[in-house]
Amino acid sequence: MSTAIAAPVARLLYKPEEAAEALAIGRSTVYELMAEGALKYIKLGRTRRIRRMDLEAYVESLAPLPN
């Protein structure tokens, strides 16, 4: 008898705390970025969620510092 292990589903929406972990920044920084419009989010009822594509777009918008 074998047990099939399903592959994990790629997350599409992140809680602000999860987004902070993914970006390796603080939770309050994520809320600040959302408040200033630098990081887009959606509201589902009373909760906020950040789409994976918006996290990726935010990272792409970051400019590296010159050497």
Side-chain angles (χ1 to χ4, degrees):
M1 176 162 82
S2 65
T3 304
I5 299 175
V9 176
R11 184 176 299 264
L12 298 174
L13 295 174
Y14 291 82
K15 296 176 186 176
E17 295 80 8
E18 296 166 336
E21 185 177 335
L23 295 172
I25 60 176
R27 182 182 65 91
S28 59
T29 303
V30 169
Y31 281 103
E32 290 172 9
L33 291 170
M34 291 190 307
E36 64 190 31
L39 182 57
K40 294 180 183 179
Y41 65 93
I42 60 172
K43 287 195 76 168
L44 294 173
R46 297 185 318 174
T47 63
R48 297 178 198 169
R49 295 293 183 262
I50 302 161
R51 298 180 302 178
R52 180 177 57 212
M53 63 186 277
D54 291 327
L55 282 175
E56 293 169 351
Y58 171 72
V59 171
E60 289 296 319
S61 74
L62 299 175
L65 296 174
N67 293 339

